[in-house]
Amino acid sequence: MAKMARPSYGHCAMGTFEANFDGLVGPTHNYAGLSRGNVASKRNAGEVAHPRRAARQGLDKMKFLSDLGLVQGMLPPHARPDLGLLRRLGFTGAPEQIVERASQEAPVLLAAAYSASSMWTANAATAIPSSDTTDHRLHLTPANLENKLHRSIEHETTGRVLGRIFAEPDRFQHHPALPSCDTLGDEGAANHTRLAASHGGPGLHLFVYGRTALDDGAPRPSKFPARQTREASEAVARLSCLASGRAHFLQQNPAVIDQGVFHNDVIAVGNLDLLFCHEEAFLGGRAPHDALRASFQAVTGAELRIVEVPSDEVSVADAVSSYLFNSQLLSLEDGAQVLLAPIECEENASVKRYLDGLVGRREGIDRVHYLDVRESMKNGGGPACLRLRVVMTEAERRDLGARTVLDPELHAELGAWIDRSYREDLAVTDLRDPALIEESQQALDELTQILNLGSVYPFQLP
Ligand code: SUG
């Protein structure tokens, strides 16, 4: 086969680019240990969090991407505490009474209602670009996140926010989250990767699931939950009107889920024609690679490059503790491909050695940048967890509603808003402080004005 020219990268290639919508870290960011199967969340349970620092780290990351010439958007935090959740669980009275009683009787439920977990927008939704759908609209399906109580309360607000940003009905098609049940556990884009020769060309959508819910005999992890089901991935692909042959389904290796790989983006990351993954990422090891390559070839006419990290160079344990694969893999306008890795990768000897060698071998990754998002990392959220990728055209971008694409003015306003609205420290025990209710609502009310979002939070709705 003739050697393919290197795909044309850059955010303006053929008027189509990849935008990253990062979750702004909310004012109630804390460490409550709510996520079984997520080792960082459990390890750091009860530590004092630093909401202002966390939000600043997130904003710095957004600025970094924007300075690289990429389109950087954002999704706002959700209103917390979720008083609606606590009311549904039988806590009554004024907000202060609800919080007081929940803190006495059920502190874990209070922590769920206060979680800032919407910051991890890789779990907000699955976005399928218009170039790959039969109705030529961009489809968005919020994830039901049914596996964890504190995350299962996100999809309604997510749906409202996405509806405001992607508002033009001729261009954007919104679906409600899948029914919230164990059979249809959906964790959104964290288990979905679009592979293509260029952002504007046809894409193959790789959906990675943890288990087949309706087959008791199928392989599944034994210790930790497999949050994403095959049934959910298939439903999202169907709902999104993916053109024929554009979806490819792979099962995650159950053994790595049991070692803390609770989403595929903890063990693999892809961009355009490059898939960067660990040797143990998928059930069957390397066996599924051939079929994936063939699907990619059939859709794009190009060759898929798979860079597989061997276990004897980086163990699964090191991949999980450093979050190597939760890096963002980004193509810049000059054609360079960069890996935006968490700073923990620079501090892990085997991971650093591997990355130095990888860049030296020029296997598709030209540079590595290390980024400090430690506050999020301590809850199991690296750079890639913090962003929802949306491949879109210039015309679609022009039709976006609200003011959610970062520019220098918005950056300055958000920085000032964080500094005046966020606490420096927040312990789980502070969640019973009645002042935090009003404080967080006030902050988000101001934010909706900064972002021109209109009313999206329950406390703002009639
Ligand atoms: O769902 N952590 C999140 C981290 C999500 C990471 N996302 C991706 N891999 N895409 C989760 O487990 C911890 C909250 C706490 O323990 O307080 C939490 O929800």
Side-chain angles (χ1 to χ4, degrees):
M1 194 177 58
K3 192 160 168 41
M4 295 288 306
R6 190 141 184 208
S8 59
Y9 294 137
H11 68 265
C12 285
M14 291 162 31
T16 302
F17 56 90
E18 176 187 276
N20 284 278
F21 285 80
D22 278 39
L24 262 173
V25 178
T28 66
H29 159 64
N30 70 90
Y31 300 120
L34 298 176
S35 277
R36 195 171 77 82
N38 167 345
V39 287
S41 152
K42 283 293 175 197
R43 185 180 339 104
N44 296 306
E47 279 208 20
V48 175
H50 305 95
R52 190 184 300 167
R53 189 187 305 161
R56 275 289 190 177
Q57 287 172 351
L59 191 60
D60 287 350
K61 165 164 126 58
M62 291 189 229
K63 180 166 186 307
F64 190 85
L65 262 90
S66 192
D67 288 346
L68 285 176
L70 299 162
V71 178
Q72 179 64 57
M74 72 198 67
L75 301 181
H78 292 189
R80 296 289 178 263
D82 184 335
L83 293 169
L85 170 70
L86 295 173
R87 286 195 183 102
R88 280 173 70 193
L89 300 178
F91 298 100
T92 53
E96 300 73 25
Q97 293 168 311
I98 291 175
V99 165
E100 171 58 23
R101 195 171 149 210
S103 78
Q104 302 286 338
E105 294 177 18
V108 178
L109 297 182
L110 182 64
Y114 253 123
S115 176
S117 55
S118 68
M119 71 172 84
W120 299 297
T121 51
N123 306 119
T126 305
I128 307 289
S130 52
S131 50
D132 298 333
T133 60
T134 51
D135 65 356
H136 310 294
R137 288 188 291 176
L138 191 161
H139 287 242
L140 291 149
T141 308
N144 62 22
L145 300 172
E146 62 79 38
N147 193 262
K148 301 280 178 270
L149 173 63
H150 68 291
R151 304 223 60 185
S152 68
I153 55 179
E154 292 176 27
H155 64 86
E156 276 185 30
T157 297
T158 299
R160 267 196 301 274
V161 166
L162 292 175
R164 290 290 153 76
I165 300 174
F166 300 89
E168 175 53 61
D170 290 341
R171 296 203 182 278
F172 307 116
Q173 177 68 51
H174 296 267
H175 304 280
L178 300 181
S180 284
C181 67
D182 179 63
T183 309
L184 291 169
D186 178 25
E187 301 276 318
N191 296 317
H192 163 256
T193 308
R194 179 179 191 266
L195 300 164
S198 69
H199 289 312
L204 176 73
H205 293 259
L206 173 60
F207 291 88
V208 181
Y209 59 92
R211 73 192 150 95
T212 301
L214 296 175
D215 179 354
D216 287 341
R220 56 180 63 191
S222 53
K223 186 173 164 205
F224 290 145
R227 300 194 199 182
Q228 181 85 32
T229 67
R230 178 170 183 129
E231 291 80 354
S233 298
E234 288 175 347
V236 171
R238 255 190 317 269
L239 275 173
S240 307
C241 297
L242 261 180
S244 148
R246 299 293 184 88
H248 191 98
F249 301 92
L250 270 189
Q251 182 164 358
Q252 232 187 312
N253 178 359
V256 299
I257 296 180
D258 279 341
Q259 292 170 74
V261 182
F262 58 97
H263 289 136
N264 177 60
D265 69 4
V266 179
I267 198 89
V269 58
N271 178 47
L272 292 173
D273 64 339
L274 181 67
L275 180 65
F276 179 53
C277 59
H278 193 272
E279 181 184 352
E280 296 177 55
F282 305 115
L283 183 67
R286 200 166 294 158
H289 289 191
D290 286 346
L292 181 60
R293 281 201 176 92
S295 295
F296 184 80
Q297 168 86 51
V299 168
T300 66
E303 221 175 295
L304 179 67
R305 297 178 294 164
I306 302 182
V307 174
E308 195 189 64
V309 181
S311 304
D312 59 10
E313 291 193 48
V314 176
S315 65
V316 171
D318 279 336
V320 170
S321 67
S322 68
Y323 257 39
L324 167 61
F325 297 97
N326 207 259
S327 301
Q328 285 177 255
L329 197 51
L330 300 160
S331 308
L332 307 185
E333 228 166 343
D334 63 5
Q337 178 131 252
V338 301
L339 192 76
L340 210 66
I343 199 159
E344 285 78 356
C345 291
E346 195 175 26
E347 297 165 351
N348 180 304
S350 64
V351 173
K352 178 70 169 52
R353 194 176 321 114
Y354 176 81
L355 285 175
D356 287 346
L358 179 70
V359 171
R361 289 193 298 277
R362 305 204 74 78
E363 280 182 359
I365 294 175
D366 302 303
R367 289 202 299 280
V368 181
H369 292 284
Y370 297 98
L371 221 77
D372 180 0
V373 287
R374 285 189 206 275
E375 284 286 319
S376 168
M377 281 285 285
K378 287 174 69 175
N379 254 335
C385 298
L386 286 161
R387 61 95 170 96
L388 176 66
R389 296 196 275 193
V390 184
V391 171
M392 60 168 71
T393 63
E394 285 293 344
E396 286 162 349
R397 178 192 171 165
R398 273 197 302 278
D399 276 345
L400 290 182
R403 181 188 177 214
T404 52
V405 174
L406 196 71
D407 60 29
E409 292 74 41
L410 183 54
H411 178 261
E413 280 178 56
L414 289 172
W417 168 77
I418 291 167
D419 289 349
R420 69 174 178 271
S421 317
Y422 281 51
R423 293 188 183 190
E424 205 127 5
D425 302 326
L426 193 67
V428 179
T429 46
D430 294 330
L431 301 181
R432 69 167 107 90
D433 175 2
L436 191 60
I437 308 171
E438 174 66 25
E439 210 176 289
S440 343
Q441 278 193 4
Q442 168 78 27
L444 294 204
D445 212 25
E446 275 182 42
L447 181 67
T448 51
Q449 292 167 38
I450 297 173
L451 300 181
N452 272 335
L453 263 177
S455 304
V456 286
Y457 298 122
F459 70 84
Q460 297 173 319
L461 297 172

